[in-house]
Amino acid sequence: MLRMAQVSKHYGSSVALDAVDFSVERGEVMALLGENGAGKSTLVKVLAGLEQPDSGTIEIEDRAVDLRSRSQARAAGIAYVAQELSILDHMSVAENVFLGDTSFGWLRRPSMLAKKAAPFLDLVGLGSIDPLKSAGSLSIAERQLVEIARLLSRSARIAILDEPTAALSDAETARVENVVMTLAAKGCSVIYVTHRLGEVFRLSQRVTILRNGRNFPAFPTRNIDVDGLIERMLGRRLDQMFPPRRAGEGDVVMSLRGCSTPGVRLPVSLEVRRGEILGFAGQLGSGAGAMIQAIAGARPLTAGTMTLEGCSYAPRSVRKAIRSGVAYCSDDRKRDGIFLGRPILENLSAPALERVTRFGLIDPRRERNLANGVAERFEIDRRRFGSAARTLSGGNQQKVALGKWIGTDPKVLLVEEPTRGVDVGARAEIYRHLRTLADQGLAVIFASSDTQEVHGLADRVATFYHGRLVRLGNTDAISLEDVTRDVTDADQGAAA
Amino acid sequence: MESARPPGDRVRVIRYAAALVTLAATLIVAGFTTPAFVTYDNFLAIVRAASITGIVAVGMSFVTISGNFFALSAGQMAAFLGILFAVATVAGLGVPAAILLTIATAILAGILQGMVINVIGNPIITTIAFGAVFGGLAAFMSGNTLIRVHDDAALAALRFGTARPLGIPTQSWAFFALALLSWFAIRTTRVGRLITLSGASPAAAAASGLPVGLSSVIAMVIFSCGPAIVAIFSVAQFSLAKADQFSGLDIDAIASVLVGGVALRGGQGSPVQAALGALLIAVLQNFMLLRGLTAGERMTIVGLVVVIAVAGFHLAQGRRR
């Protein structure tokens, strides 16, 4: 059905896809696996017409196709459901099913649309939903299903689903899986990107694994087990990237007792010690990030209590958490991690403004001293203090986003995805800086969907899957494979 | 200190230079073509006009820098505060007390508007609505008639409105002083930094633990003092107040902020730029007036200048990325 040969794609000097061969047969579900940054999204975007490959050929039913735009991909029979759903809340379910479909002309009578949408909604198990209802009231799983109904309405020959179940509960996941099987049974080829290995075995006939932009030949799912998958996904380790671990012998700085928050289904209890790096491993929607946000005061706690240095700690806002000594770097650096348009100096002093202020005036000497201190520890170029943060590379921006917290003397530093959008060289540097901060007595908690990163950097690891804490223990006692299994396939891992 | 100018500064320089060069060009053209332009009386007229607009524009620039675009209640607030000041003076409160009352009311109005902006999240809608409230109050308090100050003692106390220390009107001294003070405030005070950072990225400011909501309130308070000062000077100068006195003030102040090159999306720029912009607009208006252009023609040209300035700054910014 679909055949990609020797497809390559570079972004600047980094290779996203390196001579990848990939094929899908008619009516087949092909699972596409790989670590973060392995090239899955690039591959999928090439097929969806969102990215152009540098070289290589793509054939559909033995005819070469040129996928230069989204509409060309659509015309070739390829339908793509992205991770970020495109459901318009204020429009009806039926309108959403036929979104972007102009074949009815410009007059779209609601009743006519509803009638046309009904069979597709039926196929995805949404037959009981009123097609005229506004899509805003749908759950995330239902939205996902509406997206698939849209895909059906376009009679796609090749369907690409990018982590469709990342944010779904088990029951909801089962609904999506059923629809995927229906889709394949109707002769549609499905490319299924996922981080959850259980789904791979339940759904797919064959698996393609990408690693560092290269692919292994696809193999039948029944010929491999979970361990085999994990082994192929991880491959060579970059041990020298990570600073040596430490035995966490410091006092307990923070403890959580039976804490849950939206996104974390089962209560979590844990402790963090001074000088320790605790890593939360988990994919998107696993609860690892949600737990960090709850500690940071960015998400409400629905149950449980937290203590900070023995005192009760219940931040109702990020601002209050910072005042208590808990600093938080979100995973969206460009949005709230740095002030892109402001000078680096101002970025570094922003959280600690009151410390450099006297009688309401900013003391330039104190501000510079504070910034110098950060720059020295995080190796930020002092000569560029006056330049806008925008002019820095991703890695240096991240150093600013992390380093600025030193000025507030926090007790606990929370970081989500510490190296997202950071190149490999700068990664090692950021790991080293986080380790230095811990060595100076800070407790660091970070969440990451990159299991190698968690296993390499953390002294202790907490694995999250599907809104619950799966395992908590010293990293030395847990193998990388265990961590990867926990975050991709905790249910089967527990059963084994 | 770093000797090399960081690349990010280039746009800032362009923004200052554009206003200055345009101002110089207008002055030269006007000076050579229009004899009446280069007289002391005309100079006074320009400076006075620039001061009224400028005082409001300098305050307005804080709103823009804080990321809240513009406050559209300046004219109606000035009308209301002018009537309040005149009524209080006529009622025999004494000029100093009346000034205090007017400023206090302005601060209160600023706090209210800032808080409502935080609630509904839209400064434009908020200030249009508040503008209507102030306009209504002005009409209501004045009974739609002129409020005149007759009392001799009060008139003596109001003499500062027509005084010219060192040959320059008091209004203009106030304008220069406020522009300097604002420049100092935005650069060196913690509040100034708070406003700039909140305007640059509200999300990043909140994530850094900065009180973003407070910054909007403070910016609105600073802004509100502008119309109060303008209103007090106006009553002092003409010994009267009326409800429809400041109809063009909003547009002139906004034009000054924009022509001066304060970045529309917030987090960049300085009140001094707004002051420069006010000078430029005043010179342009005066030149056109002397050339006998009608009110409609003048308005059209000022509008076009604003469009060209904003588009130009936008393109200069875009090319860099």
Side-chain angles (χ1 to χ4, degrees):
Chain A
M1 186 74 187
L2 169 79
R3 197 166 307 280
M4 298 171 85
Q6 299 294 304
V7 170
S8 295
K9 171 81 187 169
H10 300 251
Y11 293 105
S13 60
S14 67
V15 184
L17 295 176
D18 186 4
V20 166
D21 296 320
F22 182 75
S23 66
V24 195
E25 303 304 321
R26 174 184 294 278
E28 176 184 51
V29 178
M30 169 68 88
L32 184 57
L33 296 182
E35 285 257 290
N36 286 314
K40 299 187 302 279
S41 354
T42 310
L43 181 66
V44 161
K45 280 180 182 159
V46 165
L47 282 176
L50 301 173
E51 297 275 3
Q52 308 311 315
D54 299 332
S55 58
T57 57
I58 304 173
E59 291 175 5
I60 293 177
E61 290 185 330
D62 297 325
R63 281 174 46 199
V65 288
D66 201 9
L67 306 173
R68 289 193 175 279
S69 69
R70 203 164 186 153
S71 52
Q72 284 184 355
R74 197 180 291 166
I78 298 175
Y80 171 51
V81 180
Q83 269 176 48
E84 301 82 27
L85 299 181
S86 51
I87 296 289
L88 300 182
D89 281 356
H90 56 277
M91 292 173 90
S92 73
V93 172
E95 284 277 6
N96 269 292
V97 170
F98 295 114
L99 199 69
D101 189 334
T102 48
S103 60
F104 306 122
W106 292 106
L107 283 173
R108 300 159 77 110
R109 276 205 337 277
S111 58
M112 184 266 288
L113 275 186
K115 219 159 97 193
K116 297 216 173 205
F120 299 117
L121 290 170
D122 228 15
L123 269 175
V124 297
L126 290 178
S128 58
I129 281 189
D130 177 4
L132 294 177
K133 187 166 115 170
S134 125
S137 58
L138 298 182
S139 73
I140 298 178
E142 287 167 337
R143 284 156 191 251
Q144 191 78 53
L145 293 169
V146 170
E147 289 251 8
I148 298 176
R150 185 187 301 159
L151 184 153
L152 288 169
S153 80
R154 288 180 183 155
S155 52
R157 294 182 290 179
I158 298 163
I160 306 170
L161 302 175
D162 195 354
E163 291 200 56
T165 56
L168 304 188
S169 71
D170 289 338
E172 291 170 330
T173 302
R175 278 173 90 175
V176 172
E177 284 179 10
N178 280 332
V179 173
V180 170
M181 284 191 267
T182 316
L183 211 54
K186 290 180 54 148
C188 182
S189 307
V190 181
I191 300 167
Y192 196 89
V193 182
T194 186
H195 277 298
R196 296 189 172 167
L197 300 187
E199 292 169 3
V200 174
F201 291 101
R202 285 196 292 275
L203 286 179
S204 70
Q205 284 84 51
R206 287 196 303 156
V207 191
T208 299
I209 293 180
L210 286 177
R211 193 165 85 202
N212 298 332
R214 286 187 212 161
N215 72 304
F216 292 84
F219 45 84
T221 315
R222 63 182 136 74
N223 290 358
I224 196 166
D225 58 4
V226 172
D227 291 322
L229 279 182
I230 291 175
E231 202 188 300
R232 290 189 195 209
M233 271 165 62
L234 295 178
R236 186 176 64 91
R237 285 277 317 280
L238 289 166
D239 274 322
Q240 65 276 28
M241 262 185 91
F242 300 104
R245 288 190 201 115
R246 264 171 43 126
E249 294 299 320
D251 317 325
V252 171
V253 179
M254 176 177 269
S255 68
L256 276 62
R257 291 274 161 275
C259 291
S260 50
T261 184
V264 177
R265 287 180 299 141
L266 297 179
V268 170
S269 297
L270 51 84
E271 286 179 343
V272 203
R273 290 172 183 279
R274 196 178 296 283
E276 173 182 65
I277 300 183
L278 172 61
F280 287 2
Q283 303 298 344
L284 180 73
S286 65
M291 205 62 237
I292 293 259
Q293 289 163 15
I295 303 172
R299 217 176 245 255
L301 215 56
T302 48
T305 55
M306 298 189 273
T307 61
L308 182 65
E309 295 193 320
C311 306
S312 165
Y313 166 72
R316 270 170 314 183
S317 67
V318 172
R319 191 170 149 72
K320 296 222 166 73
I322 294 168
R323 299 208 153 217
S324 314
V326 177
Y328 165 59
C329 280
S330 86
D331 57 353
D332 196 348
R333 178 177 62 235
K334 286 203 170 9
R335 194 183 91 87
D336 59 20
I338 55 173
F339 300 91
L340 285 167
R342 299 304 304 173
I344 291 162
L345 181 72
E346 289 183 17
N347 268 282
L348 292 177
S349 64
L353 264 192
E354 50 216 80
R355 287 172 191 242
V356 298
T357 305
R358 298 184 78 184
F359 311 114
L361 301 181
I362 290 175
D363 180 343
R365 217 181 28 138
R366 285 183 184 216
E367 183 177 31
R368 195 157 270 274
N369 283 344
L370 178 108
N372 281 342
V374 177
E376 208 165 296
R377 278 205 243 172
F378 273 67
E379 290 163 38
I380 297 164
D381 188 353
R382 273 193 256 175
R383 284 168 305 178
R384 297 190 62 180
F385 272 2
S387 314
R390 167 179 296 123
T391 61
L392 294 176
S393 69
N396 280 318
Q397 286 183 5
Q398 184 70 346
K399 287 201 274 181
V400 170
L402 284 171
K404 67 178 185 200
W405 292 111
I406 297 181
T408 66
D409 274 332
K411 299 169 183 124
V412 178
L413 176 63
L414 306 165
V415 191
E416 269 188 272
E417 302 291 349
T419 57
R420 175 171 292 175
V422 171
D423 64 70
V424 178
R427 272 183 197 198
E429 219 181 317
I430 283 166
Y431 297 144
R432 192 155 42 78
H433 293 312
L434 286 173
R435 175 55 72 192
T436 312
L437 289 180
D439 285 343
Q440 283 161 353
L442 212 66
V444 178
I445 311 180
F446 74 98
S448 175
S449 52
D450 180 341
T451 51
Q452 296 201 37
E453 175 169 288
V454 176
H455 193 265
L457 179 64
D459 300 316
R460 282 194 303 141
V461 174
T463 54
F464 284 82
Y465 181 77
H466 241 90
R468 69 189 166 88
L469 176 67
V470 179
R471 187 202 305 251
L472 174 65
N474 284 330
T475 314
D476 294 334
I478 304 173
S479 71
L480 175 60
E481 287 70 21
D482 290 336
V483 176
T484 308
R485 191 195 331 264
D486 283 358
V487 302
T488 49
D489 187 46
D491 297 330
Q492 297 211 347
Chain B
M1 290 301 288
E2 277 69 41
S3 51
R5 188 175 280 286
D9 266 10
R10 207 175 309 138
V11 170
R12 230 171 299 159
V13 173
I14 292 176
R15 284 170 178 270
Y16 268 105
L20 273 175
V21 167
T22 318
L23 181 60
T26 318
L27 282 174
I28 291 167
V29 170
F32 279 105
T33 59
T34 319
F37 186 81
V38 272
T39 61
Y40 177 64
D41 282 342
N42 193 51
F43 165 74
L44 283 189
I46 291 176
V47 166
R48 204 173 246 144
S51 304
I52 300 297
T53 313
I55 288 171
V56 175
V58 163
M60 183 93 78
S61 68
F62 282 86
V63 176
T64 311
I65 295 169
S66 78
N68 287 305
F69 303 106
F70 300 110
L72 295 174
S73 51
Q76 282 151 315
M77 200 150 62
F80 160 65
L81 293 168
I83 281 163
L84 177 73
F85 178 60
V87 166
T89 309
V90 169
L93 198 63
V95 170
I99 289 178
L100 280 182
L101 174 73
T102 308
I103 301 276
T105 309
I107 290 174
L108 189 70
I111 293 175
L112 266 177
Q113 293 179 78
M115 283 172 26
V116 174
I117 287 173
N118 284 334
V119 172
I120 70 170
N122 186 322
I124 302 292
I125 302 292
T126 304
T127 53
I128 286 178
F130 268 95
V133 172
F134 295 131
L137 282 174
F140 167 74
M141 275 175 66
S142 65
N144 272 326
T145 56
L146 293 181
I147 310 280
R148 279 183 193 282
V149 182
H150 295 292
D151 182 54
D152 283 341
L155 284 175
L158 287 177
R159 207 165 291 148
F160 65 86
T162 44
R164 289 182 201 163
L166 301 178
I168 292 175
T170 341
Q171 286 88 327
S172 307
W173 286 114
F175 167 47
F176 298 141
L178 286 171
L180 267 179
L181 193 69
S182 302
W183 176 71
F184 176 76
I186 207 84
R187 276 182 73 95
T188 64
T189 68
R190 182 166 151 201
V191 166
R193 181 68 65 82
L194 169 67
I195 287 173
T196 310
L197 290 179
S198 300
S201 166
S208 300
L210 298 174
V212 179
L214 184 64
S215 89
S216 300
V217 173
I218 296 173
M220 283 308 292
V221 168
I222 294 172
F223 155 73
S224 299
C225 290
I229 294 166
V230 163
I232 291 167
F233 272 119
S234 163
V235 172
Q237 188 183 350
F238 302 110
S239 316
L240 62 83
K242 52 181 176 153
D244 59 352
Q245 202 170 359
F246 297 99
S247 52
L249 193 56
D250 289 296
I251 286 305
D252 282 354
I254 290 172
S256 306
V257 171
L258 289 174
V259 170
V262 177
L264 192 52
R265 65 186 142 69
Q268 300 281 350
S270 154
V272 175
Q273 291 174 301
L276 263 180
L279 268 175
L280 177 56
I281 297 279
V283 167
L284 194 64
Q285 288 274 17
N286 178 273
F287 173 50
M288 293 190 294
L289 202 62
L290 293 183
R291 301 302 298 183
L293 270 65
T294 64
E297 286 164 343
R298 279 178 280 143
M299 198 191 276
T300 311
I301 289 174
V302 169
L304 284 174
V305 167
V306 172
V307 170
I308 292 167
V310 175
F313 291 135
H314 188 82
L315 291 177
Q317 190 90 35
R319 205 179 306 134
R320 208 166 49 91
R321 264 181 230 157

